[in-house]
Amino acid sequence: MSRNLIDSIKLLKSILSKSEHLVFLTGAGISKESGIPTFRGYEGLWKTYDPMKLASVSAFIENPSLVWEFYAYRQKLIGECHPNGAHIAISNIQQQKRNSWVLTQNVDNLHERAGSKNIIKLHGNIFKVYCIHCGYYGNMDRNVPPLCPNCNNVLKPGVVLFEETLPQKEWTKAIELSSSCDLMLIIGTSLNVSPANTLPLYAKDNNAIVVEINTETTELTKLMDFSLQGTASEILPKIMGLLEN
Ligand code: BV8
């Protein structure tokens, strides 16, 4: 870890200790070191696949079997992965910052499995299914594509697809928390996808300190108070360490 990065992290010590309303905003990058591919950037899923053909509502209506091939592949892959040091560090920070929340764009449940509390899943859960015809919501079963037990239509993956609005309750809560936080740690997200990418703006509007932790710069790096360049599993345990000393 570079000297500059270590010094930047140290500057966060008093900010983190004083924070009373801490929010984590996470994306696919935090799960990369658990073996789950990101969407964009080097080796990203969208370099190989077209998201609008595999992860959008129109794609699901037009060709549900193709969408289910993609989601069954990701369910299998994610099912074999485990939380990494970054997920665990967030869970440990939350032990000391009881009023902190995790707003995640990820659908892999790794924050839950790392022991985090107060989690808002902005884009749903890949192990759930939903019926767009009758509203049935339940766990994925072995059949691909799964059929609705109520009306026998093909069920949709329990994730928010492109062209699909985010769950109202979760979205409203995410705006409320982002608008009232005093510190937002933004980890492993390209901030490409709306409306999740507007949450740092709500935090900034409330004069919160916003910190980006990413291996690259993003669309909003210029907006950040701190931009810590490195991997989440390297940086988050160091940030957790600030609370211990
Ligand atoms: C909505 C499904 C209203 C779940 C996902 C034109 C037509 C239609 C829609 C739109 C349009 N233009 C804009 C839109 C809106 C659209 C959108 O934002 N599109 C973008 C691509 C332009 N948004 C929507 O459709 C949303 N709904 O707006 O409803 C509406 C209604 C009708 C019509 C229009 C609008 C729904 C958004 C949710 C879509 N679902 N996935 C799944 O399969 O997972 S999005 C997908 O991207 C994932 O959910 C993912 O979470 C999300 C965001 O990506 P990131 O998490 O940021 O991941 P990414 O790979 O991009 O970046 C990883 C980062 O990590 C990188 O910066 C990398 O540098 C970094 N990194 C890598 N390794 C590490 C690391 N960092 C730290 N450590 C490491 N080791």
PDB file of all heavy atoms in Angstrom, residues 27-29 32-33 38-40 71 74 105 107 123 159-165 188-190 193-194 214-216 231-232, ligand 1:
ATOM      1  N   GLY A  27     -20.990  -1.760  -4.506  1.00  0.00           N
ATOM      2  CA  GLY A  27     -21.292  -2.307  -5.839  1.00  0.00           C
ATOM      3  C   GLY A  27     -20.453  -3.544  -6.092  1.00  0.00           C
ATOM      4  O   GLY A  27     -19.764  -4.046  -5.198  1.00  0.00           O
ATOM      5  N   ALA A  28     -20.493  -3.993  -7.324  1.00  0.00           N
ATOM      6  CA  ALA A  28     -19.925  -5.300  -7.696  1.00  0.00           C
ATOM      7  C   ALA A  28     -18.439  -5.434  -7.349  1.00  0.00           C
ATOM      8  O   ALA A  28     -17.942  -6.527  -7.101  1.00  0.00           O
ATOM      9  CB  ALA A  28     -20.142  -5.529  -9.189  1.00  0.00           C
ATOM     10  N   GLY A  29     -17.726  -4.318  -7.293  1.00  0.00           N
ATOM     11  CA  GLY A  29     -16.279  -4.366  -7.021  1.00  0.00           C
ATOM     12  C   GLY A  29     -15.951  -4.939  -5.660  1.00  0.00           C
ATOM     13  O   GLY A  29     -14.906  -5.566  -5.470  1.00  0.00           O
ATOM     14  N   LYS A  32     -15.719  -8.648  -6.052  1.00  0.00           N
ATOM     15  CA  LYS A  32     -14.782  -9.160  -7.090  1.00  0.00           C
ATOM     16  C   LYS A  32     -13.800 -10.144  -6.469  1.00  0.00           C
ATOM     17  O   LYS A  32     -13.500 -11.192  -7.009  1.00  0.00           O
ATOM     18  CB  LYS A  32     -14.026  -7.970  -7.704  1.00  0.00           C
ATOM     19  CG  LYS A  32     -12.903  -8.322  -8.686  1.00  0.00           C
ATOM     20  CD  LYS A  32     -13.375  -8.291 -10.121  1.00  0.00           C
ATOM     21  CE  LYS A  32     -12.254  -8.559 -11.105  1.00  0.00           C
ATOM     22  NZ  LYS A  32     -11.303  -7.441 -11.217  1.00  0.00           N
ATOM     23  N   GLU A  33     -13.294  -9.801  -5.256  1.00  0.00           N
ATOM     24  CA  GLU A  33     -12.269 -10.662  -4.648  1.00  0.00           C
ATOM     25  C   GLU A  33     -12.876 -11.881  -3.959  1.00  0.00           C
ATOM     26  O   GLU A  33     -12.183 -12.693  -3.387  1.00  0.00           O
ATOM     27  CB  GLU A  33     -11.418  -9.833  -3.662  1.00  0.00           C
ATOM     28  CG  GLU A  33     -10.551  -8.842  -4.425  1.00  0.00           C
ATOM     29  CD  GLU A  33     -10.159  -7.673  -3.567  1.00  0.00           C
ATOM     30  OE1 GLU A  33     -10.991  -6.774  -3.388  1.00  0.00           O
ATOM     31  OE2 GLU A  33      -9.029  -7.668  -3.079  1.00  0.00           O
ATOM     32  N   THR A  38     -17.313  -8.446 -12.001  1.00  0.00           N
ATOM     33  CA  THR A  38     -18.017  -7.154 -12.023  1.00  0.00           C
ATOM     34  C   THR A  38     -18.731  -7.057 -13.377  1.00  0.00           C
ATOM     35  O   THR A  38     -18.700  -7.983 -14.189  1.00  0.00           O
ATOM     36  CB  THR A  38     -16.991  -6.006 -11.893  1.00  0.00           C
ATOM     37  OG1 THR A  38     -16.050  -6.148 -12.968  1.00  0.00           O
ATOM     38  CG2 THR A  38     -16.283  -6.059 -10.552  1.00  0.00           C
ATOM     39  N   PHE A  39     -19.389  -5.915 -13.573  1.00  0.00           N
ATOM     40  CA  PHE A  39     -20.142  -5.729 -14.824  1.00  0.00           C
ATOM     41  C   PHE A  39     -19.328  -4.954 -15.841  1.00  0.00           C
ATOM     42  O   PHE A  39     -19.373  -5.223 -17.031  1.00  0.00           O
ATOM     43  CB  PHE A  39     -21.459  -4.983 -14.515  1.00  0.00           C
ATOM     44  CG  PHE A  39     -22.378  -5.808 -13.671  1.00  0.00           C
ATOM     45  CD1 PHE A  39     -22.349  -5.710 -12.285  1.00  0.00           C
ATOM     46  CD2 PHE A  39     -23.227  -6.726 -14.267  1.00  0.00           C
ATOM     47  CE1 PHE A  39     -23.173  -6.501 -11.502  1.00  0.00           C
ATOM     48  CE2 PHE A  39     -24.054  -7.534 -13.490  1.00  0.00           C
ATOM     49  CZ  PHE A  39     -24.021  -7.420 -12.098  1.00  0.00           C
ATOM     50  N   ARG A  40     -18.620  -3.951 -15.365  1.00  0.00           N
ATOM     51  CA  ARG A  40     -17.923  -3.046 -16.295  1.00  0.00           C
ATOM     52  C   ARG A  40     -16.429  -3.108 -16.020  1.00  0.00           C
ATOM     53  O   ARG A  40     -15.987  -3.730 -15.079  1.00  0.00           O
ATOM     54  CB  ARG A  40     -18.482  -1.621 -16.092  1.00  0.00           C
ATOM     55  CG  ARG A  40     -19.958  -1.570 -16.459  1.00  0.00           C
ATOM     56  CD  ARG A  40     -20.667  -0.311 -15.978  1.00  0.00           C
ATOM     57  NE  ARG A  40     -22.098  -0.493 -16.194  1.00  0.00           N
ATOM     58  CZ  ARG A  40     -22.902  -1.135 -15.328  1.00  0.00           C
ATOM     59  NH1 ARG A  40     -22.420  -1.606 -14.173  1.00  0.00           N
ATOM     60  NH2 ARG A  40     -24.196  -1.327 -15.572  1.00  0.00           N
ATOM     61  N   TYR A  71     -29.016 -15.905 -15.592  1.00  0.00           N
ATOM     62  CA  TYR A  71     -29.168 -15.828 -14.134  1.00  0.00           C
ATOM     63  C   TYR A  71     -28.885 -17.152 -13.443  1.00  0.00           C
ATOM     64  O   TYR A  71     -28.340 -17.174 -12.328  1.00  0.00           O
ATOM     65  CB  TYR A  71     -30.534 -15.229 -13.760  1.00  0.00           C
ATOM     66  CG  TYR A  71     -30.448 -13.728 -13.839  1.00  0.00           C
ATOM     67  CD1 TYR A  71     -30.835 -13.034 -14.975  1.00  0.00           C
ATOM     68  CD2 TYR A  71     -29.841 -13.020 -12.798  1.00  0.00           C
ATOM     69  CE1 TYR A  71     -30.656 -11.665 -15.067  1.00  0.00           C
ATOM     70  CE2 TYR A  71     -29.659 -11.651 -12.882  1.00  0.00           C
ATOM     71  CZ  TYR A  71     -30.056 -10.972 -14.022  1.00  0.00           C
ATOM     72  OH  TYR A  71     -29.845  -9.632 -14.108  1.00  0.00           O
ATOM     73  N   ARG A  74     -25.228 -17.235 -13.070  1.00  0.00           N
ATOM     74  CA  ARG A  74     -24.736 -16.357 -11.983  1.00  0.00           C
ATOM     75  C   ARG A  74     -25.135 -16.909 -10.609  1.00  0.00           C
ATOM     76  O   ARG A  74     -24.384 -16.802  -9.645  1.00  0.00           O
ATOM     77  CB  ARG A  74     -25.246 -14.938 -12.197  1.00  0.00           C
ATOM     78  CG  ARG A  74     -24.526 -14.278 -13.363  1.00  0.00           C
ATOM     79  CD  ARG A  74     -24.871 -12.841 -13.522  1.00  0.00           C
ATOM     80  NE  ARG A  74     -24.522 -12.088 -12.328  1.00  0.00           N
ATOM     81  CZ  ARG A  74     -25.264 -11.084 -11.875  1.00  0.00           C
ATOM     82  NH1 ARG A  74     -26.408 -10.770 -12.485  1.00  0.00           N
ATOM     83  NH2 ARG A  74     -24.903 -10.418 -10.809  1.00  0.00           N
ATOM     84  N   GLN A 105     -25.897  -2.399  -4.209  1.00  0.00           N
ATOM     85  CA  GLN A 105     -26.438  -2.685  -5.542  1.00  0.00           C
ATOM     86  C   GLN A 105     -26.261  -4.176  -5.852  1.00  0.00           C
ATOM     87  O   GLN A 105     -26.752  -4.657  -6.858  1.00  0.00           O
ATOM     88  CB  GLN A 105     -25.713  -1.864  -6.601  1.00  0.00           C
ATOM     89  CG  GLN A 105     -25.822  -0.365  -6.414  1.00  0.00           C
ATOM     90  CD  GLN A 105     -24.886   0.362  -7.331  1.00  0.00           C
ATOM     91  OE1 GLN A 105     -25.197   0.667  -8.489  1.00  0.00           O
ATOM     92  NE2 GLN A 105     -23.695   0.632  -6.837  1.00  0.00           N
ATOM     93  N   VAL A 107     -26.507  -8.291  -5.545  1.00  0.00           N
ATOM     94  CA  VAL A 107     -27.645  -9.217  -5.351  1.00  0.00           C
ATOM     95  C   VAL A 107     -27.155 -10.544  -4.777  1.00  0.00           C
ATOM     96  O   VAL A 107     -27.869 -11.536  -4.772  1.00  0.00           O
ATOM     97  CB  VAL A 107     -28.363  -9.441  -6.710  1.00  0.00           C
ATOM     98  CG1 VAL A 107     -28.982  -8.140  -7.209  1.00  0.00           C
ATOM     99  CG2 VAL A 107     -27.416 -10.019  -7.769  1.00  0.00           C
ATOM    100  N   HIS A 123     -31.053  -3.531  -5.609  1.00  0.00           N
ATOM    101  CA  HIS A 123     -31.314  -4.243  -6.862  1.00  0.00           C
ATOM    102  C   HIS A 123     -31.785  -5.668  -6.649  1.00  0.00           C
ATOM    103  O   HIS A 123     -31.701  -6.484  -7.555  1.00  0.00           O
ATOM    104  CB  HIS A 123     -30.054  -4.239  -7.745  1.00  0.00           C
ATOM    105  CG  HIS A 123     -29.702  -2.882  -8.246  1.00  0.00           C
ATOM    106  ND1 HIS A 123     -28.480  -2.576  -8.772  1.00  0.00           N
ATOM    107  CD2 HIS A 123     -30.409  -1.729  -8.270  1.00  0.00           C
ATOM    108  CE1 HIS A 123     -28.454  -1.291  -9.113  1.00  0.00           C
ATOM    109  NE2 HIS A 123     -29.607  -0.754  -8.810  1.00  0.00           N
ATOM    110  N   VAL A 159     -34.365 -10.006  -9.030  1.00  0.00           N
ATOM    111  CA  VAL A 159     -33.455  -8.838  -9.082  1.00  0.00           C
ATOM    112  C   VAL A 159     -34.139  -7.717  -9.862  1.00  0.00           C
ATOM    113  O   VAL A 159     -35.097  -7.961 -10.595  1.00  0.00           O
ATOM    114  CB  VAL A 159     -32.113  -9.182  -9.777  1.00  0.00           C
ATOM    115  CG1 VAL A 159     -31.396 -10.307  -9.053  1.00  0.00           C
ATOM    116  CG2 VAL A 159     -32.313  -9.530 -11.251  1.00  0.00           C
ATOM    117  N   VAL A 160     -33.642  -6.490  -9.688  1.00  0.00           N
ATOM    118  CA  VAL A 160     -34.187  -5.351 -10.441  1.00  0.00           C
ATOM    119  C   VAL A 160     -33.498  -5.356 -11.802  1.00  0.00           C
ATOM    120  O   VAL A 160     -32.279  -5.124 -11.884  1.00  0.00           O
ATOM    121  CB  VAL A 160     -33.914  -4.022  -9.708  1.00  0.00           C
ATOM    122  CG1 VAL A 160     -34.465  -2.849 -10.527  1.00  0.00           C
ATOM    123  CG2 VAL A 160     -34.525  -4.037  -8.312  1.00  0.00           C
ATOM    124  N   LEU A 161     -34.236  -5.616 -12.836  1.00  0.00           N
ATOM    125  CA  LEU A 161     -33.660  -5.627 -14.188  1.00  0.00           C
ATOM    126  C   LEU A 161     -33.586  -4.198 -14.717  1.00  0.00           C
ATOM    127  O   LEU A 161     -34.247  -3.293 -14.197  1.00  0.00           O
ATOM    128  CB  LEU A 161     -34.523  -6.499 -15.103  1.00  0.00           C
ATOM    129  CG  LEU A 161     -34.614  -7.985 -14.728  1.00  0.00           C
ATOM    130  CD1 LEU A 161     -35.581  -8.711 -15.668  1.00  0.00           C
ATOM    131  CD2 LEU A 161     -33.234  -8.640 -14.766  1.00  0.00           C
ATOM    132  N   PHE A 162     -32.822  -3.971 -15.762  1.00  0.00           N
ATOM    133  CA  PHE A 162     -32.843  -2.664 -16.426  1.00  0.00           C
ATOM    134  C   PHE A 162     -34.260  -2.418 -16.914  1.00  0.00           C
ATOM    135  O   PHE A 162     -34.954  -3.351 -17.303  1.00  0.00           O
ATOM    136  CB  PHE A 162     -31.844  -2.640 -17.589  1.00  0.00           C
ATOM    137  CG  PHE A 162     -30.414  -2.535 -17.130  1.00  0.00           C
ATOM    138  CD1 PHE A 162     -29.553  -3.607 -17.248  1.00  0.00           C
ATOM    139  CD2 PHE A 162     -29.952  -1.365 -16.541  1.00  0.00           C
ATOM    140  CE1 PHE A 162     -28.247  -3.518 -16.804  1.00  0.00           C
ATOM    141  CE2 PHE A 162     -28.633  -1.265 -16.101  1.00  0.00           C
ATOM    142  CZ  PHE A 162     -27.788  -2.346 -16.226  1.00  0.00           C
ATOM    143  N   GLU A 163     -34.681  -1.161 -16.902  1.00  0.00           N
ATOM    144  CA  GLU A 163     -36.033  -0.722 -17.272  1.00  0.00           C
ATOM    145  C   GLU A 163     -37.048  -1.057 -16.190  1.00  0.00           C
ATOM    146  O   GLU A 163     -38.232  -0.806 -16.351  1.00  0.00           O
ATOM    147  CB  GLU A 163     -36.519  -1.370 -18.597  1.00  0.00           C
ATOM    148  CG  GLU A 163     -35.609  -1.135 -19.766  1.00  0.00           C
ATOM    149  CD  GLU A 163     -35.832  -2.164 -20.857  1.00  0.00           C
ATOM    150  OE1 GLU A 163     -36.503  -3.190 -20.613  1.00  0.00           O
ATOM    151  OE2 GLU A 163     -35.346  -1.942 -21.959  1.00  0.00           O
ATOM    152  N   GLU A 164     -36.591  -1.611 -15.080  1.00  0.00           N
ATOM    153  CA  GLU A 164     -37.500  -1.925 -13.963  1.00  0.00           C
ATOM    154  C   GLU A 164     -37.226  -0.934 -12.836  1.00  0.00           C
ATOM    155  O   GLU A 164     -36.062  -0.623 -12.554  1.00  0.00           O
ATOM    156  CB  GLU A 164     -37.213  -3.358 -13.492  1.00  0.00           C
ATOM    157  CG  GLU A 164     -38.244  -3.910 -12.551  1.00  0.00           C
ATOM    158  CD  GLU A 164     -37.999  -5.381 -12.196  1.00  0.00           C
ATOM    159  OE1 GLU A 164     -36.984  -5.970 -12.647  1.00  0.00           O
ATOM    160  OE2 GLU A 164     -38.817  -5.935 -11.458  1.00  0.00           O
ATOM    161  N   THR A 165     -38.286  -0.409 -12.234  1.00  0.00           N
ATOM    162  CA  THR A 165     -38.055   0.553 -11.151  1.00  0.00           C
ATOM    163  C   THR A 165     -37.581  -0.188  -9.905  1.00  0.00           C
ATOM    164  O   THR A 165     -37.875  -1.360  -9.710  1.00  0.00           O
ATOM    165  CB  THR A 165     -39.366   1.318 -10.817  1.00  0.00           C
ATOM    166  OG1 THR A 165     -40.374   0.354 -10.650  1.00  0.00           O
ATOM    167  CG2 THR A 165     -39.733   2.290 -11.901  1.00  0.00           C
ATOM    168  N   GLY A 188     -16.425   0.067  -4.494  1.00  0.00           N
ATOM    169  CA  GLY A 188     -16.521  -0.903  -5.586  1.00  0.00           C
ATOM    170  C   GLY A 188     -17.698  -0.709  -6.507  1.00  0.00           C
ATOM    171  O   GLY A 188     -18.316  -1.669  -6.956  1.00  0.00           O
ATOM    172  N   THR A 189     -18.004   0.572  -6.822  1.00  0.00           N
ATOM    173  CA  THR A 189     -19.062   0.813  -7.799  1.00  0.00           C
ATOM    174  C   THR A 189     -18.604   1.855  -8.811  1.00  0.00           C
ATOM    175  O   THR A 189     -17.986   2.859  -8.461  1.00  0.00           O
ATOM    176  CB  THR A 189     -20.398   1.253  -7.145  1.00  0.00           C
ATOM    177  OG1 THR A 189     -21.337   1.596  -8.179  1.00  0.00           O
ATOM    178  CG2 THR A 189     -20.246   2.393  -6.173  1.00  0.00           C
ATOM    179  N   SER A 190     -18.941   1.604 -10.080  1.00  0.00           N
ATOM    180  CA  SER A 190     -18.564   2.535 -11.151  1.00  0.00           C
ATOM    181  C   SER A 190     -19.488   3.756 -11.152  1.00  0.00           C
ATOM    182  O   SER A 190     -19.261   4.717 -11.867  1.00  0.00           O
ATOM    183  CB  SER A 190     -18.657   1.831 -12.515  1.00  0.00           C
ATOM    184  OG  SER A 190     -20.014   1.429 -12.729  1.00  0.00           O
ATOM    185  N   VAL A 193     -24.837   3.288 -12.946  1.00  0.00           N
ATOM    186  CA  VAL A 193     -26.248   2.891 -13.048  1.00  0.00           C
ATOM    187  C   VAL A 193     -27.117   3.788 -12.174  1.00  0.00           C
ATOM    188  O   VAL A 193     -26.844   3.971 -10.980  1.00  0.00           O
ATOM    189  CB  VAL A 193     -26.395   1.407 -12.636  1.00  0.00           C
ATOM    190  CG1 VAL A 193     -27.856   0.992 -12.539  1.00  0.00           C
ATOM    191  CG2 VAL A 193     -25.667   0.528 -13.638  1.00  0.00           C
ATOM    192  N   SER A 194     -28.154   4.323 -12.804  1.00  0.00           N
ATOM    193  CA  SER A 194     -29.095   5.165 -12.042  1.00  0.00           C
ATOM    194  C   SER A 194     -30.293   4.310 -11.639  1.00  0.00           C
ATOM    195  O   SER A 194     -30.567   3.289 -12.286  1.00  0.00           O
ATOM    196  CB  SER A 194     -29.539   6.337 -12.926  1.00  0.00           C
ATOM    197  OG  SER A 194     -30.303   5.884 -14.008  1.00  0.00           O
ATOM    198  N   ASN A 214     -11.956   2.409  -4.569  1.00  0.00           N
ATOM    199  CA  ASN A 214     -12.109   1.798  -5.885  1.00  0.00           C
ATOM    200  C   ASN A 214     -10.716   1.579  -6.465  1.00  0.00           C
ATOM    201  O   ASN A 214      -9.791   2.303  -6.142  1.00  0.00           O
ATOM    202  CB  ASN A 214     -12.932   2.750  -6.785  1.00  0.00           C
ATOM    203  CG  ASN A 214     -13.531   2.042  -7.985  1.00  0.00           C
ATOM    204  OD1 ASN A 214     -12.846   1.318  -8.699  1.00  0.00           O
ATOM    205  ND2 ASN A 214     -14.822   2.227  -8.198  1.00  0.00           N
ATOM    206  N   THR A 215     -10.610   0.580  -7.343  1.00  0.00           N
ATOM    207  CA  THR A 215      -9.305   0.359  -7.980  1.00  0.00           C
ATOM    208  C   THR A 215      -9.076   1.362  -9.110  1.00  0.00           C
ATOM    209  O   THR A 215      -7.977   1.498  -9.616  1.00  0.00           O
ATOM    210  CB  THR A 215      -9.251  -1.071  -8.573  1.00  0.00           C
ATOM    211  OG1 THR A 215     -10.485  -1.315  -9.267  1.00  0.00           O
ATOM    212  CG2 THR A 215      -9.068  -2.110  -7.470  1.00  0.00           C
ATOM    213  N   GLU A 216     -10.181   2.018  -9.541  1.00  0.00           N
ATOM    214  CA  GLU A 216     -10.079   3.018 -10.624  1.00  0.00           C
ATOM    215  C   GLU A 216     -10.826   4.290 -10.217  1.00  0.00           C
ATOM    216  O   GLU A 216     -11.562   4.297  -9.233  1.00  0.00           O
ATOM    217  CB  GLU A 216     -10.727   2.448 -11.904  1.00  0.00           C
ATOM    218  CG  GLU A 216     -10.038   1.218 -12.475  1.00  0.00           C
ATOM    219  CD  GLU A 216     -10.931   0.515 -13.523  1.00  0.00           C
ATOM    220  OE1 GLU A 216     -11.869   1.166 -14.040  1.00  0.00           O
ATOM    221  OE2 GLU A 216     -10.723  -0.673 -13.757  1.00  0.00           O
ATOM    222  N   THR A 231      -7.751  -2.020  -3.655  1.00  0.00           N
ATOM    223  CA  THR A 231      -8.843  -2.999  -3.578  1.00  0.00           C
ATOM    224  C   THR A 231      -9.599  -2.852  -2.255  1.00  0.00           C
ATOM    225  O   THR A 231      -9.023  -2.488  -1.228  1.00  0.00           O
ATOM    226  CB  THR A 231      -8.294  -4.434  -3.671  1.00  0.00           C
ATOM    227  OG1 THR A 231      -7.482  -4.663  -2.526  1.00  0.00           O
ATOM    228  CG2 THR A 231      -7.495  -4.653  -4.943  1.00  0.00           C
ATOM    229  N   ALA A 232     -10.864  -3.201  -2.301  1.00  0.00           N
ATOM    230  CA  ALA A 232     -11.714  -3.082  -1.106  1.00  0.00           C
ATOM    231  C   ALA A 232     -11.187  -3.967   0.017  1.00  0.00           C
ATOM    232  O   ALA A 232     -11.174  -3.563   1.188  1.00  0.00           O
ATOM    233  CB  ALA A 232     -13.141  -3.490  -1.472  1.00  0.00           C
TER     234      ALA A 232
HETATM  235  C1  BV8 B   1     -34.756   2.516 -13.553  1.00  0.00           C
HETATM  236  C2  BV8 B   1     -29.479  -6.596 -12.269  1.00  0.00           C
HETATM  237  C3  BV8 B   1     -36.756   3.675 -14.068  1.00  0.00           C
HETATM  238  C4  BV8 B   1     -29.143  -7.327 -11.048  1.00  0.00           C
HETATM  239  C5  BV8 B   1     -28.717  -4.371 -12.645  1.00  0.00           C
HETATM  240  C6  BV8 B   1     -31.986   3.647 -21.348  1.00  0.00           C
HETATM  241  C7  BV8 B   1     -32.931   2.622 -21.414  1.00  0.00           C
HETATM  242  C8  BV8 B   1     -33.411   2.008 -20.271  1.00  0.00           C
HETATM  243  C9  BV8 B   1     -32.953   2.408 -19.018  1.00  0.00           C
HETATM  244  C10 BV8 B   1     -32.026   3.433 -18.970  1.00  0.00           C
HETATM  245  C11 BV8 B   1     -31.533   4.047 -20.105  1.00  0.00           C
HETATM  246  N1  BV8 B   1     -30.623   4.984 -19.718  1.00  0.00           N
HETATM  247  C12 BV8 B   1     -30.510   4.989 -18.375  1.00  0.00           C
HETATM  248  C13 BV8 B   1     -31.370   4.071 -17.902  1.00  0.00           C
HETATM  249  C14 BV8 B   1     -31.575   3.732 -16.498  1.00  0.00           C
HETATM  250  C15 BV8 B   1     -30.817   2.437 -16.188  1.00  0.00           C
HETATM  251  C16 BV8 B   1     -29.329   2.708 -16.194  1.00  0.00           C
HETATM  252  O1  BV8 B   1     -28.808   3.323 -15.278  1.00  0.00           O
HETATM  253  N2  BV8 B   1     -28.632   2.261 -17.247  1.00  0.00           N
HETATM  254  C17 BV8 B   1     -27.202   2.541 -17.308  1.00  0.00           C
HETATM  255  C18 BV8 B   1     -26.441   1.272 -17.674  1.00  0.00           C
HETATM  256  C19 BV8 B   1     -27.005   3.659 -18.326  1.00  0.00           C
HETATM  257  N3  BV8 B   1     -31.264   2.061 -14.871  1.00  0.00           N
HETATM  258  C20 BV8 B   1     -32.347   1.276 -14.736  1.00  0.00           C
HETATM  259  O2  BV8 B   1     -32.928   0.756 -15.663  1.00  0.00           O
HETATM  260  C21 BV8 B   1     -32.826   1.103 -13.309  1.00  0.00           C
HETATM  261  N4  BV8 B   1     -34.243   1.310 -13.276  1.00  0.00           N
HETATM  262  O3  BV8 B   1     -34.088   3.487 -13.836  1.00  0.00           O
HETATM  263  O4  BV8 B   1     -36.139   2.529 -13.503  1.00  0.00           O
HETATM  264  C22 BV8 B   1     -36.915   3.380 -15.530  1.00  0.00           C
HETATM  265  C23 BV8 B   1     -37.967   2.571 -15.917  1.00  0.00           C
HETATM  266  C24 BV8 B   1     -38.129   2.301 -17.283  1.00  0.00           C
HETATM  267  C25 BV8 B   1     -37.237   2.826 -18.241  1.00  0.00           C
HETATM  268  C26 BV8 B   1     -36.158   3.631 -17.802  1.00  0.00           C
HETATM  269  C27 BV8 B   1     -35.984   3.890 -16.451  1.00  0.00           C
HETATM  270  C28 BV8 B   1     -32.525  -0.323 -12.845  1.00  0.00           C
HETATM  271  C29 BV8 B   1     -31.062  -0.410 -12.477  1.00  0.00           C
HETATM  272  C30 BV8 B   1     -30.736  -1.818 -11.960  1.00  0.00           C
HETATM  273  C31 BV8 B   1     -30.389  -2.660 -13.120  1.00  0.00           C
HETATM  274  N5  BV8 B   1     -29.958  -3.992 -12.675  1.00  0.00           N
HETATM  275  N6  BV8 B   1     -28.412  -5.650 -12.503  1.00  0.00           N
HETATM  276  C32 BV8 B   1     -27.919  -8.142 -11.327  1.00  0.00           C
HETATM  277  O5  BV8 B   1     -27.960  -8.963 -12.258  1.00  0.00           O
HETATM  278  O6  BV8 B   1     -26.939  -7.967 -10.603  1.00  0.00           O
HETATM  279  S1  BV8 B   1     -27.508  -3.205 -12.807  1.00  0.00           S
HETATM  280  C33 BV8 B   1     -25.980  -3.832 -12.476  1.00  0.00           C
HETATM  281  O7  BV8 B   1     -25.142  -2.665 -12.419  1.00  0.00           O
HETATM  282  C34 BV8 B   1     -25.822  -4.501 -11.134  1.00  0.00           C
HETATM  283  O8  BV8 B   1     -26.990  -4.489 -10.354  1.00  0.00           O
HETATM  284  C35 BV8 B   1     -24.766  -3.649 -10.461  1.00  0.00           C
HETATM  285  O9  BV8 B   1     -24.878  -3.642  -9.118  1.00  0.00           O
HETATM  286  C36 BV8 B   1     -25.047  -2.334 -11.068  1.00  0.00           C
HETATM  287  C37 BV8 B   1     -24.049  -1.261 -10.871  1.00  0.00           C
HETATM  288  O10 BV8 B   1     -22.807  -1.726 -11.287  1.00  0.00           O
HETATM  289  P1  BV8 B   1     -21.616  -1.681 -10.219  1.00  0.00           P
HETATM  290  O11 BV8 B   1     -22.062  -2.384  -8.991  1.00  0.00           O
HETATM  291  O12 BV8 B   1     -21.134  -0.298 -10.085  1.00  0.00           O
HETATM  292  O13 BV8 B   1     -20.553  -2.607 -10.927  1.00  0.00           O
HETATM  293  P2  BV8 B   1     -19.563  -2.213 -12.119  1.00  0.00           P
HETATM  294  O14 BV8 B   1     -19.053  -3.466 -12.689  1.00  0.00           O
HETATM  295  O15 BV8 B   1     -20.204  -1.193 -12.991  1.00  0.00           O
HETATM  296  O16 BV8 B   1     -18.359  -1.448 -11.368  1.00  0.00           O
HETATM  297  C38 BV8 B   1     -17.504  -2.176 -10.492  1.00  0.00           C
HETATM  298  C39 BV8 B   1     -16.558  -1.157  -9.890  1.00  0.00           C
HETATM  299  O17 BV8 B   1     -15.736  -1.816  -8.951  1.00  0.00           O
HETATM  300  C40 BV8 B   1     -15.644  -0.508 -10.916  1.00  0.00           C
HETATM  301  O18 BV8 B   1     -15.613   0.879 -10.693  1.00  0.00           O
HETATM  302  C41 BV8 B   1     -14.271  -1.136 -10.614  1.00  0.00           C
HETATM  303  O19 BV8 B   1     -13.225  -0.209 -10.846  1.00  0.00           O
HETATM  304  C42 BV8 B   1     -14.380  -1.438  -9.150  1.00  0.00           C
HETATM  305  N7  BV8 B   1     -13.587  -2.561  -8.660  1.00  0.00           N
HETATM  306  C43 BV8 B   1     -13.253  -3.689  -9.323  1.00  0.00           C
HETATM  307  N8  BV8 B   1     -12.547  -4.492  -8.494  1.00  0.00           N
HETATM  308  C44 BV8 B   1     -12.476  -3.855  -7.287  1.00  0.00           C
HETATM  309  C45 BV8 B   1     -13.136  -2.618  -7.392  1.00  0.00           C
HETATM  310  N9  BV8 B   1     -13.231  -1.748  -6.366  1.00  0.00           N
HETATM  311  C46 BV8 B   1     -12.654  -2.107  -5.185  1.00  0.00           C
HETATM  312  N10 BV8 B   1     -12.019  -3.287  -5.004  1.00  0.00           N
HETATM  313  C47 BV8 B   1     -11.900  -4.169  -6.028  1.00  0.00           C
HETATM  314  N11 BV8 B   1     -11.217  -5.335  -5.832  1.00  0.00           N
END
